[in-house]
Amino acid sequence: MAASQISTNRPPRETAVLSLGCLRTGSASICEALTILNYHDVHHGINAAMQPADWPVFSAACDAVFPSLPNYNGNGFTQTQWDQIFGPCEAITDMGSFFALSLIDAYPNAKVILVERDIEQWYASVDEAIFSTTWGYRADFFINFLVPLFGGKAGSTIRKIMYGYFESKDVTEMRAKARERYNRHYAEIRAAVPPERLLNFRLADGWGPLCEFLGKDVPDVPFPRVNERQVHLKRVRDRQNRFFKMALKLGVKRVFPWIFGLVSVGLGVFAARNPDLGDSVLTRLPWARAALAKFNISLYRGL
């Protein structure tokens, strides 16, 4: 287990629950519900965004479990490897669904929750909130140029996960295969998990069946219903705006010295061609005189 990824306030814990319904099937609501039921460190996609060290692990997992990827090695991913991300988590939701069968093998004692929704509603949600925000001109700018400037790997790793999970080479193929992959996702999980460890759950069912399955008392609060699509879109916009501000600050820091130097050189050329007036100007601008000395502007005297 990578000690650098598990801080002192996030001790290792036994993973007790896997919520493996496809992305965009209420994972934010399930995450909130499990937190209310006192499961600690429930993992959701937003956790990964806040843990940059997780992305290389997700990337390695892709190569281990997705045969369609060019660097597939077929090694599988063990509990020890998954614990680099999920070691502190008593429950896993959201992004874990991409690696459902691997997680079922890695955590054989965990109970599995499966939330399913109307496939057309799911497709509309995933198309707007995932496909359209991860591909396109704006996404390309962030993922291929802006984020790597700061050493970020989130965008490229998310794309890699999606390529592997949907067995696709581009987002067009992904859209074409999405519905078939959705149906296969649920069939594979139901075939892999014994009935006593599996809860087929609808958010509309509320606390009753969920608490009975998990052996928990029913909380005295309404069952959470999070507008997941809007939460995700806001998160994407906030993250992009944050990178814009960081890039602007970095750009100013990197460009200003060049602007300063060019202005100084221009003054030097002016001073070389107009010695009397130039000396007067430089006397009034000591910063320019210092800069000209640094750039050895005396070379321009021969112009």
Side-chain angles (χ1 to χ4, degrees):
M1 187 178 298
S4 63
Q5 291 182 251
I6 300 179
S7 62
T8 54
N9 63 339
R10 298 183 70 222
R13 301 182 176 98
E14 181 180 358
T15 299
V17 180
L18 303 173
S19 180
L20 299 178
C22 275
L23 206 70
R24 322 306 307 159
T25 59
S27 61
S29 297
I30 291 292
C31 180
E32 180 67 19
L34 293 174
T35 301
I36 292 171
L37 293 176
N38 292 319
Y39 287 97
H40 295 92
D41 232 322
V42 181
H43 193 279
H44 190 273
I46 195 169
N47 300 91
M50 302 302 291
Q51 298 288 333
D54 288 355
W55 294 114
V57 184
F58 276 120
S59 181
C62 288
D63 292 331
V65 304
F66 293 139
S68 63
L69 293 180
N71 293 325
Y72 174 66
N73 55 48
N75 293 335
F77 224 58
T78 66
Q79 179 180 339
T80 300
Q81 290 171 300
W82 278 124
D83 277 349
Q84 293 176 81
I85 298 174
F86 301 127
C89 304
E90 289 188 328
I92 301 168
T93 71
D94 197 59
M95 283 187 64
S97 65
F98 289 118
F99 304 94
L101 296 183
S102 179
L103 293 176
I104 289 167
D105 288 340
Y107 302 103
N109 296 320
K111 293 185 175 182
V112 177
I113 301 169
L114 208 52
V115 180
E116 191 171 2
R117 66 187 296 193
D118 174 80
I119 191 168
E120 294 305 324
Q121 292 179 355
W122 169 80
Y123 180 83
S125 178
V126 81
D127 188 41
E128 179 186 19
I130 305 298
F131 296 155
S132 296
T133 61
T134 310
W135 282 271
Y137 294 117
R138 182 180 175 90
D140 287 344
F141 173 71
F142 277 92
I143 293 173
N144 298 331
F145 173 71
L146 194 56
V147 175
L149 281 178
F150 302 93
K153 300 181 182 298
S156 59
T157 305
I158 289 172
R159 282 184 172 181
K160 184 176 182 178
I161 292 171
M162 304 288 280
Y163 288 135
Y165 176 79
F166 287 101
E167 302 167 352
S168 302
K169 296 180 177 62
D170 55 48
V171 71
T172 300
E173 185 180 5
M174 208 172 290
R175 287 184 167 109
K177 290 184 173 181
R179 292 174 178 84
E180 183 278 330
R181 187 65 183 93
Y182 180 85
N183 289 327
R184 179 155 47 95
H185 177 92
Y186 288 92
E188 288 174 344
I189 292 173
R190 289 177 178 128
V193 181
E196 64 274 13
R197 283 180 51 213
L198 177 65
L199 174 66
N200 291 287
F201 183 67
R202 297 181 306 164
L203 298 182
D205 293 338
W207 289 117
L210 181 64
C211 291
E212 181 181 357
F213 177 66
L214 298 175
K216 297 281 189 176
D217 294 331
V218 175
D220 189 22
V221 294
F223 189 87
R225 295 300 297 266
V226 180
N227 189 335
E228 192 170 353
R229 188 186 310 191
Q230 294 307 314
V231 168
H232 176 78
L233 291 172
K234 182 179 184 301
R235 187 164 70 238
V236 170
R237 286 193 296 267
D238 289 347
R239 186 162 59 242
Q240 290 178 345
N241 289 338
R242 184 170 67 251
F243 272 111
F244 263 133
K245 291 177 182 178
M246 291 169 62
L248 183 60
K249 290 180 181 179
L250 179 64
V252 169
K253 288 181 180 179
R254 289 184 175 180
V255 171
F256 182 75
W258 287 97
I259 295 175
F260 181 80
L262 289 172
V263 170
S264 299
V265 169
L267 286 172
V269 173
F270 176 79
R273 292 178 172 175
N274 305 273
D276 295 335
L277 184 57
D279 287 342
S280 175
V281 170
L282 293 177
T283 298
R284 296 173 181 272
L285 300 173
W287 61 268
R289 184 180 293 279
L292 293 175
K294 181 178 180 180
F295 281 95
N296 196 18
I297 203 63
S298 60
L299 292 176
Y300 285 96
R301 294 290 183 181
L303 296 178

